Amino acid sequence: MDFEQLVKARHSAVNFEQDITMTEQDFKQIFELTKLAPSAYNLQFTNYLVITDDDKKEKVRELSYGQYKIHTASAVVIVLGDKNSLTAEAASKIYSPLKMLNMIDEVEYDMTLQAIENFQQGLKNNAHGIELELARNVGIHAMFFMLSAKHYGFDTCPMHVHNVEQLREEFRIPAHLEPVMMITVGKSVDRTRPRGYRKPVGEFVQFNSF
């Protein structure tokens, strides 16, 4: 399907066909597209924990107030923001190979790393800077994931993360990874469910000034 068809076909699934298995290969092809999502300075802030094991999914369900869609989904995906992306080491890991391949020269490399350092320092000086930056970048990445999943025939539903500390302990999520959202994925039971009301464009878009 073309992009317009893809966007119109993607709905948030409220229930999934049970016993539909998604393989690691299914997820790898989804993530091959997802990884093309943009991020600030290409620092690629987003990590994913893909949970396909039934017992572990049920644990997530317990921590998510028993939401049934987690039970029927083929997988539940924890989407995480990586605070370590906001380090000089992470920036160097991204940009050093470009310098080695002569895609950027020494001057451009130094200027880029200095700009990233200034960017990182600005976030640290803002009380919610890092939190907001992770949310911005993770949100964009997660939308790419949901569209990529639909491209390969799978349905999704974005969800809040509840009981974060218990979730962190249960799945041994390290401190530098911040759970931002969850996405259930599988095959929707009801693929013809009407889309919820959307505001007309004129109600939420202004040009040049409010």
Side-chain angles (χ1 to χ4, degrees), residues 41 107 125 136 184:
Y41 289 98
V107 172
N125 291 338
R136 274 191 288 266
T184 44

Side-chain angles (χ1 to χ4, degrees), residues 22-36:
M22 290 183 67
T23 66
E24 287 192 15
Q25 184 57 39
D26 289 327
F27 280 103
K28 284 177 181 177
Q29 64 181 2
I30 291 169
F31 284 118
E32 283 295 330
L33 292 180
T34 303
K35 73 180 185 181
L36 301 177

